[in-house]
Amino acid sequence: MGALNGVKVLDLSRLLPGPYCSLIMADYGAEVIKIEEPGQGDYIRWRKPAIEEIGARHLTVNRNKKSIELNLKTEEGKAIFKKMAESADVILESFRPGVMDRLGIGYDEISKINEGIVYCSLTGYGQTGPYRRLPGHDINYIGYSGILGLIGEKDGKPVVPGVQIADLGGGALMALSGIMMALFHKEKTGKGQYVDISMLDGAVTWLYAALSDYFASGSIPERGKTRLDGHFAFYNVYETKDQKYLSVGASEKKFWKEICELVGKPEWIELHEGPEDVQEQLKKDMSELFKQRNQQEWLDLLQTKDTCVGPVYNIDEIFSDSQIIERELFTEMNHPVAGMIKQIGFPIKFSHTPGKIHSHAPILGEHTEEILSALNYSRANIDDFRSKGVIGTHTPVGN
């Protein structure tokens, strides 16, 4: 049994932020049903690279979910959705503000038929404000938030991060937190509520360190010139002889002292938080030193000591790391079309309700008939819906 066993989620979101949020719920026991446009579905299904013409990202982020093709622009489609919503605990959607209301299936309408519904809208800028109707992507949200302006080297331009900070940290995880808190409130009161999540809002709250310092000092933090973004030699990335890299994070002096002693440079110890000119020279000296040996040689010397030194891996190297293997962060599963595929494991380790992969990422509309039958629609009803374009033409896998 999963921690969220018995929780039913209707997921209308697409691409990454919403589906990542619902993935975590699905992995830990919730029944997640993807509501998808007939014939098209979630766009992530078709993104390359693909395995057997199924988008690789769909195969991972949409596992453990069901799929129904439902045309919400038809009256019959809206009626089916409302019938599904009567017994749902959570609705998750990521359309621009106002879309669900115009369709007649917004929070105000759904809460009339299910007062316990937790209805979460996950959007770039939230439901209010001058930007609320603007399109956007992660790079825009972190740009507005100030995060992007902090990433990069001193005197260089901002650097686009290789992972989606606002999409996942500011959006998906904030939505998950909001949904869980609303469900907890519902458990105590029986009342659901509306949850308005903005990826920009979430990204701004990632600035607690930078903003707290700014509040106190009034000094605007500059890229590459603060404590944890490359200003100090003790917190930086260094190239090794074999063109690989080390991450050095000896922010505390005790870790710095250990490094200096192990590399035979005790004279560096007191330079830990020296002035800017000292840091610039120290970074040059450390760069020269680390280029004298291969990455593994330095790791053999430093990695297992109290130094906060580690490797900078490429993606293909993480699969052989002993810590990642021990924590079971990768596994495999069989998909009826794509075959045996790799999957990312579970980040939250529960003692009694662990995460579990129980089903493959669904074929578009794979569970349409199953879901409609459970709602007491007859075979004649289903065939009629299909002929009218209310549902898709896909049939269950194996039929």
Side-chain angles (χ1 to χ4, degrees), residues 151-320:
I151 301 175
E153 296 184 347
K154 183 178 69 172
D155 301 324
K157 74 173 188 177
V159 175
V160 180
V163 295
Q164 289 69 50
I165 294 172
D167 283 358
L168 298 181
L173 295 181
M174 293 294 178
L176 179 66
S177 299
I179 289 168
M180 292 302 106
M181 286 186 273
L183 285 174
F184 185 66
H185 178 263
K186 174 187 173 181
E187 186 73 18
K188 294 189 295 181
T189 67
K191 301 286 187 180
Q193 59 184 305
Y194 184 67
V195 184
D196 173 10
I197 300 293
S198 154
M199 288 179 255
L200 172 56
D201 290 3
V204 169
T205 67
W206 275 45
L207 293 172
Y208 267 97
L211 287 176
S212 296
D213 292 350
Y214 175 69
F215 294 156
S217 68
S219 177
I220 300 173
E222 297 181 56
R223 193 164 48 254
K225 296 183 180 181
T226 63
R227 183 179 183 86
L228 301 181
D229 74 346
H231 173 70
F232 287 102
F234 62 69
Y235 203 92
N236 224 307
V237 173
Y238 295 97
E239 187 177 1
T240 56
K241 184 179 179 180
D242 51 352
Q243 288 81 55
K244 295 185 177 183
Y245 294 90
L246 296 172
S247 62
V248 177
S251 182
E252 294 82 1
K253 194 168 183 180
K254 62 182 180 179
F255 300 136
W256 174 248
K257 181 175 182 290
E258 184 81 356
I259 291 175
C260 296
E261 291 175 347
L262 287 169
V263 302
K265 296 290 184 179
E267 66 270 23
W268 287 354
I269 294 174
E270 296 309 314
L271 306 180
H272 184 239
E273 295 197 26
E276 185 174 359
D277 61 329
V278 170
Q279 295 303 316
E280 291 304 312
Q281 184 59 50
L282 188 52
K283 281 186 277 188
K284 291 179 182 177
D285 293 341
M286 291 181 68
S287 294
E288 292 177 4
L289 175 68
F290 284 123
K291 284 184 178 179
Q292 294 175 13
R293 302 187 192 182
N294 291 335
Q295 183 195 65
Q296 190 58 54
E297 294 177 275
W298 287 117
L299 293 175
D300 291 342
L301 176 65
L302 302 170
Q303 184 181 23
T304 60
K305 307 297 194 302
D306 280 355
T307 61
C308 295
V309 174
V312 177
Y313 283 145
N314 292 320
I315 287 289
D316 63 328
E317 295 176 293
I318 66 178
F319 301 102
S320 58

